[in-house]
Amino acid sequence: MRTKDLSYWLFLAPVLLALTLVVVVPMLLGVYYSFTTWNGIDTGEFVGFQNYIDLFKDQRFLDSLWFTTKFSIVSVILINVIGLSLALLVTGRVRSSKLLRTTFFMPNLIGGLILGFIWQFIFIKVFASVGEIIGMEGLQGWLSTTNTGFWGLVILMSWQMAGYIMVIYIAYLEGMPKELLEASEIDGASPFQRFRYVVFPLVAPAFTVSMFLTLSNTFKLYDQNLSLTAGGPYNSTEMVAMEIFKTAFAQNAFAYAQAKAVIFFVIVALIALVQVYLNKRKEVEM
Amino acid sequence: MKKKWNVKLEVLGLLLAILWLAPFYLMFVNSFKSKKEIFMDTISPPENWSFDNYITAFEELDFMQTLFNSLLITVISVVLIIIFSAMAAYALSRAKSKLSTVLFFTFVAAMLIPFQSVMIPLVTVFGKFEMLNRGGLIFMYIGFGASLSIFLYHGALNNIPRSLDEAATIDGANRFQVFWYIIFPILKPITVTVAILNIIWIWNDYLLPSLVINTPGSETIPLKMFFFFGEYTKQWHLALAGLTLAIIPVIIFYFFAQREIIKGVSDGAVK
């Protein structure tokens, strides 16, 4: 097949059309609109960088950006630590390994919106009644403060995603040459030494993949945020994705929301590229 | 010594599994309780297992219609993503040229764009052409699903020797025949992966349908769940029955396809 053949273009046409109309055109239009006073119907007038200047003075937007960053850092660390621990557990000498894998992975099949509602019930109702029984007041009124809302989101996300990350680590752990582990065992290495000097360097590529996935998923989080806290109390647990949505559809500030969306894209793309670049460089060293 | 260690791991694993399942247990047992019973105690199983909440939730959610809508949209979108992405990846892997490389990287780079960045223009443009309906939604899923699918198919296709294509061509097959009868069947393992990854996100997607589907009666499960919750925020007994109903189809799917699902997810991430 050559690129000037008709069949080449026939094979490509459906996805090219879909990608162009769904991603490329909206992205280019979006960048253009972010420099105008677009209201969703009329393009309005060209205002240059005004929207971008405004958003850096917009406390609500900056707060959501900071909240998202904190949430992502804490979640990425927790999800990877838990995910790797679960992977080590189920690839060890346990008989219920298959059952455990199935269980830990399960939350990932159920949508974030539904999981958020289930946990809302647990944090509000179950925590309150457990708190009453054991006499811990700290368990009352979860999700009603910024702090408990933050940890609520972290718990939900770690519980959901650890199983997904576990599956990725398992793939690398099982692909690891068994002779290396046996050799180190014969040489008298302790379990910790085996992990630190044999297992860990070999699963480093898994770390690149899982960190990419956890970072981009936590940074773009929307559904769980909406169903667990809906951004409350007083928008203090509002993450960037939700803030952009509200700017556009609740305040009808389309061009302004679009400028935020462009900044959001730049941040996500930068994080992804820098992260993959740094991890790749580390892999080579090992 | 070694045996004792194993028992400890086993117990630890089972305790963690119980902890992992606790949210589902709590959802399940409370979905059978009355409003008053939930207020009194959220931990114990219900005093009597009454299906009243389920009957109400089933009707309020218009469950059969909603389930059908979700199935319809997911199945059509995933089938079209598979056909079109496999074809595109085939063209890109067989016609090696600068153009193919540029197109391939464009598809892959599109994965970096967060949905929120294209969301507002997408909805306004499709709105202008009266495409905010189920057909438009499926078309959008093809656009958003194509990137990862093409990426996975492309990797698999590069491992299939071209001599296979050439042999079939010499036997008189045209491009479409070569692809459909020779190549596509070989791609079956990666097709399973592509199908599973796309089923999971399309089935569970909330934001896109919430922007695109406006007609009552064509809502998907996550969409209906949200409306349902708006009305029942304080009525946990009904809400929990609704959530359990929404999860049942997924559990059935997981029960039958768990091996393929876990394998699909790990292949998708590793490649």
Side-chain angles (χ1 to χ4, degrees), chain A residues 225-239 242 246:
Chain A
N225 194 194
L226 181 69
S227 57
L228 192 72
T229 66
Y234 311 108
N235 309 321
S236 65
T237 62
E238 197 173 72
M239 299 184 37
M242 183 185 277
K246 283 189 182 165

Side-chain angles (χ1 to χ4, degrees), chain B residues 11-271:
Chain B
V11 171
L12 176 68
L14 291 174
L15 283 176
L16 279 172
I18 291 170
L19 184 71
W20 236 256
L21 293 177
F24 297 116
Y25 164 82
L26 292 164
M27 170 192 75
F28 188 72
V29 294
N30 285 297
S31 69
F32 288 94
K33 294 178 186 170
S34 65
K35 203 174 173 180
K36 198 174 143 217
E37 217 185 331
I38 290 180
F39 184 73
M40 309 281 288
D41 174 19
T42 49
I43 314 290
S44 331
E47 272 172 24
N48 49 357
W49 298 79
S50 148
F51 280 90
D52 291 355
N53 298 337
Y54 280 90
I55 295 166
T56 314
F58 195 90
E59 283 168 7
E60 292 288 322
L61 283 173
D62 196 359
F63 191 68
M64 290 321 280
Q65 179 67 44
T66 312
L67 179 67
F68 172 76
N69 296 338
S70 267
L71 277 172
L72 184 82
I73 287 170
T74 309
V75 170
I76 298 179
S77 305
V78 173
V79 168
L80 293 179
I81 287 174
I82 287 173
I83 295 173
F84 294 145
S85 308
M87 283 168 57
Y90 178 69
L92 294 176
S93 91
R94 288 308 185 252
K96 290 270 181 243
S97 71
K98 252 197 193 121
L99 181 68
S100 290
T101 315
V102 170
L103 286 174
F104 178 68
F105 277 106
T106 311
F107 278 118
V108 176
M111 274 193 268
L112 280 179
I113 300 177
F115 175 70
Q116 273 78 10
S117 302
V118 293
M119 163 179 85
I120 313 167
L122 177 73
V123 172
T124 45
V125 169
F126 274 66
K128 259 181 209 150
F129 294 99
E130 311 269 330
M131 281 292 283
L132 293 182
N133 50 38
R134 284 192 274 196
L137 183 62
I138 290 169
F139 184 77
M140 290 179 196
Y141 280 141
I142 298 173
F144 290 118
S147 285
L148 180 66
S149 310
I150 288 179
F151 179 70
L152 291 172
Y153 273 124
H154 196 262
L157 279 160
N158 284 341
N159 288 329
I160 299 176
R162 281 153 172 263
S163 49
L164 215 62
D165 304 50
E166 283 151 16
T169 315
I170 291 166
D171 287 346
N174 66 33
R175 273 290 160 199
F176 287 90
Q177 289 168 326
V178 172
F179 177 72
W180 281 114
Y181 297 116
I182 314 288
I183 305 296
F184 193 69
I186 306 176
L187 291 171
K188 199 181 157 205
I190 200 76
T191 300
V192 173
T193 301
V194 170
I196 281 169
L197 292 174
N198 283 301
I199 288 171
I200 295 175
W201 78 268
I202 294 176
W203 180 269
N204 291 320
D205 192 29
Y206 163 73
L207 185 50
L208 189 54
S210 80
L211 293 165
V212 173
I213 304 248
N214 301 312
T215 21
S218 49
E219 298 99 335
T220 59
I221 290 177
L223 204 50
K224 197 82 183 181
M225 230 2 99
F226 194 74
F227 293 146
F228 183 68
F229 257 84
E231 287 166 43
Y232 291 93
T233 334
K234 294 285 178 286
Q235 309 226 41
W236 276 111
H237 58 302
L238 294 178
L240 291 171
L243 288 172
T244 312
L245 280 176
I247 289 177
I248 289 171
V250 182
I251 302 289
I252 294 173
F253 174 60
Y254 195 35
F255 185 77
F256 284 108
Q258 44 177 302
R259 249 191 58 206
E260 281 75 22
I261 291 170
I262 292 185
K263 197 184 160 299
V265 166
S266 103
D267 286 354
V270 173
K271 269 162 191 157

Side-chain angles (χ1 to χ4, degrees), chain A residues 40-262:
Chain A
I41 303 155
D42 296 315
T43 311
E45 51 187 303
F46 192 79
V47 292
F49 282 94
Q50 194 53 50
N51 289 324
Y52 289 91
I53 294 165
D54 289 346
L55 68 85
F56 282 107
K57 290 183 239 154
D58 183 339
Q59 200 52 46
R60 190 168 160 187
F61 179 66
L62 296 178
D63 285 346
S64 73
L65 205 56
W66 175 232
F67 187 84
T68 310
T69 310
K70 275 194 299 186
F71 168 77
S72 291
I73 294 171
V74 175
S75 303
V76 166
I77 294 170
L78 273 178
I79 293 168
N80 277 284
V81 169
I82 300 172
L84 179 58
S85 308
L86 294 179
L88 288 169
L89 176 77
V90 301
T91 50
R93 299 183 185 104
V94 277
R95 263 184 236 148
S96 49
S97 169
K98 227 192 104 189
L99 180 79
L100 294 179
R101 290 175 199 209
T102 313
T103 307
F104 296 139
F105 184 78
M106 192 158 89
N108 291 290
L109 288 175
I110 300 159
L113 194 84
I114 290 176
L115 297 178
F117 285 133
I118 297 175
W119 276 92
Q120 197 196 336
F121 173 73
I122 293 170
F123 285 134
I124 294 176
K125 290 284 170 185
V126 180
F127 270 38
S129 67
V130 170
E132 216 162 280
I133 295 166
I134 62 168
M136 250 182 82
E137 281 201 10
L139 290 177
Q140 309 288 338
W142 259 68
L143 306 180
S144 63
T145 69
T146 312
N147 205 19
T148 51
F150 175 83
W151 287 105
L153 282 164
V154 170
I155 292 170
L156 162 61
M157 199 59 189
S158 308
W159 169 76
Q160 181 190 350
M161 248 199 121
Y164 200 98
I165 297 310
M166 170 197 74
V167 168
I168 295 167
Y169 280 115
I170 289 173
Y172 283 88
L173 285 170
E174 287 184 339
M176 201 164 55
K178 295 275 176 296
E179 310 86 71
L180 280 176
L181 273 182
E182 282 163 15
S184 64
E185 217 172 333
I186 293 165
D187 288 346
S190 69
F192 175 76
Q193 286 172 321
R194 281 213 301 277
F195 176 73
R196 171 68 188 84
Y197 297 105
V198 184
V199 178
F200 192 73
L202 287 167
V203 295
F207 187 66
T208 307
V209 178
S210 53
M211 191 146 150
F212 176 78
L213 280 173
T214 41
L215 250 183
S216 64
N217 275 355
T218 52
F219 215 85
K220 292 189 281 192
L221 201 71
Y222 178 79
D223 294 8
Q224 288 87 335
N225 194 194
L226 181 69
S227 57
L228 192 72
T229 66
Y234 311 108
N235 309 321
S236 65
T237 62
E238 197 173 72
M239 299 184 37
V240 187
M242 183 185 277
E243 212 276 332
I244 293 172
F245 185 90
K246 283 189 182 165
T247 307
F249 297 105
Q251 300 166 18
N252 277 320
F254 279 67
Y256 184 43
Q258 189 52 42
K260 291 178 177 177
V262 172

